[in-house]
């Protein structure tokens, strides 16, 4: 069934075409109001805490290599299944796990930040870099070397001491400090500690207390 929309208007409305006048009045009003759009790329957006941009593997200043220990948590938490890790452990006693391959297909990433949140050693981060479009796919399939280079560029751009960089937004929230892996316990401002938030175990405790 085809229903045609017929605006209701009186004789005067038909004669003066009020809709056209209303449209022109709105255009005129917008001409003198403050724009709500940004003239990108001339005007850059303000990056807020928790921004999820280009992936990077944090370079360990001691070893010069990635901090990654190959625990696979990021790959397991990733809802897009876009993280691939291959690692091996040496035969000698006490040998650490070596990462043979670490890849992120950024084209499949949904920028949820789960990888960053679950990483116990803050090895993977979503930086504040957002301008990295490309015309070829391979350059957006980040290899370990590319991810480390992304980190180097980010550090250079920030120009700050990044040794203990951790984006406070991507600490697991609502958990007691003692329940967090040691590198996640880096001192962050009270605003980001999330202690006021009622989630996870805190929520369960609150519910139990209410039932008593
Ligand atoms: S941000 Fe989310 S989707 Fe992207 S790699 Fe990390 S866990 Fe996967
Ligand atoms: S969670 Fe962190 S340490 Fe574990 S594999 Fe991923 S990047 Fe490496």
């Amino acid at each position: 069934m085809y229903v045609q929309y017929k605006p209701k208007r009186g004789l005067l409305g038909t004669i003066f075409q009020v809709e056209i006048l209303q449209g022109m009045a709105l255009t005129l009003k917008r001409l003198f109001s403050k724009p709500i759009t940004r003239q990108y790329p001339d005007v850059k957006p303000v990056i807020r805490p928790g921004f999820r941009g280009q992936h990077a593997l944090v370079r360990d200043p001691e070893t010069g290599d990635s901090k990654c220990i190959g625990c696979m948590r990021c790959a397991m938490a990733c809802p897009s299944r876009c993280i691939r890790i291959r690692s091996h452990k040496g035969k000698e006693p006490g040998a650490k796990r070596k990462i043979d391959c670490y890849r992120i297909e950024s084209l499949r990433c949904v920028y949820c930040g789960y990888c960053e949140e679950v990483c116990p050693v803050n090895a993977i981060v979503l930086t504040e870099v957002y301008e990295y479009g490309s015309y070829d796919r391979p350059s957006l399939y980040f290899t370990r070397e590319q991810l480390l280079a992304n980190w180097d560029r980010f550090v250079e751009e920030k120009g700050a001491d990044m040794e203990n960089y951790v984006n406070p937004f991507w600490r697991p929230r609502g958990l007691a400090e003692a329940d967090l892996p040691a590198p996640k316990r880096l001192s962050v401002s009270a605003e980001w500690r999330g202690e006021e938030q009622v989630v996870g175990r805190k929520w369960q405790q609150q519910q139990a207390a209410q039932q008593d």
Side-chain angles (χ1 to χ4, degrees):
M1 189 176 64
Y2 179 68
V3 180
Q4 188 176 9
Y5 170 68
K6 236 179 167 186
K8 276 187 191 163
R9 61 181 177 197
L11 181 64
L12 281 179
T14 308
I15 293 169
F16 292 108
Q17 295 288 309
V18 278
E19 289 85 2
I20 294 176
L21 294 176
Q22 280 169 346
M24 286 169 74
L26 186 65
T27 308
L28 200 66
K29 193 173 142 200
R30 289 281 172 245
L31 265 182
F32 300 102
S33 60
K34 201 170 167 236
I36 54 169
T37 48
R38 188 182 295 120
Q39 295 302 312
Y40 180 83
D42 298 329
V43 183
K44 305 276 184 194
V46 177
I47 301 299
R48 310 273 178 202
F51 183 83
R52 288 166 265 177
Q54 189 182 43
H55 307 78
L57 274 175
V58 176
R59 199 182 282 280
D60 186 342
E62 279 175 27
T63 62
D65 203 348
S66 151
K67 286 183 174 181
C68 178
I69 52 172
C71 69
M72 301 293 288
R73 287 186 202 186
C74 55
M76 285 190 281
C78 178
S80 309
R81 296 279 179 265
C82 60
I83 303 178
R84 302 260 183 285
I85 306 169
R86 234 185 17 249
S87 63
H88 74 276
K89 204 169 178 186
K91 292 214 170 72
E92 61 277 19
K96 284 188 178 166
R97 188 159 282 281
K98 286 238 165 67
I99 314 298
D100 303 314
C101 165
Y102 191 108
R103 282 176 75 105
I104 295 183
E105 287 185 38
S106 70
L107 292 170
R108 284 173 57 190
C109 173
V110 293
Y111 296 86
C112 61
Y114 290 168
C115 51
E116 185 167 6
E117 190 170 320
V118 296
C119 181
V121 291
N122 299 323
I124 178 79
V125 291
L126 294 172
T127 65
E128 293 163 17
V129 178
Y130 58 88
E131 290 177 310
Y132 59 101
S134 169
Y135 288 108
D136 65 298
R137 280 168 170 255
S139 63
L140 293 168
Y141 292 172
F142 296 133
T143 61
R144 189 159 150 271
E145 289 67 34
Q146 277 169 303
L147 289 162
L148 283 165
N150 290 351
W151 173 254
D152 293 339
R153 271 197 306 278
F154 179 51
V155 172
E156 205 180 306
E157 212 167 273
K158 290 282 275 186
D161 175 23
M162 306 280 276
E163 196 168 314
N164 290 327
Y165 176 83
V166 54
N167 186 333
F169 196 86
W170 295 112
R171 280 162 44 111
R173 303 271 180 117
L175 288 177
E177 199 76 358
D179 293 339
L180 293 172
K184 294 274 187 206
R185 284 183 227 145
L186 296 171
S187 58
V188 292
S189 68
E191 185 194 350
W192 290 107
R193 230 171 272 141
E195 279 153 13
E196 300 79 31
Q197 293 183 35
V198 185
V199 290
R201 191 180 297 175
K202 248 184 172 182
W203 181 82
Q204 286 169 352
Q205 285 165 353
Q206 197 188 64
Q207 293 295 304
Q210 278 171 4
Q211 280 164 12
D212 291 342

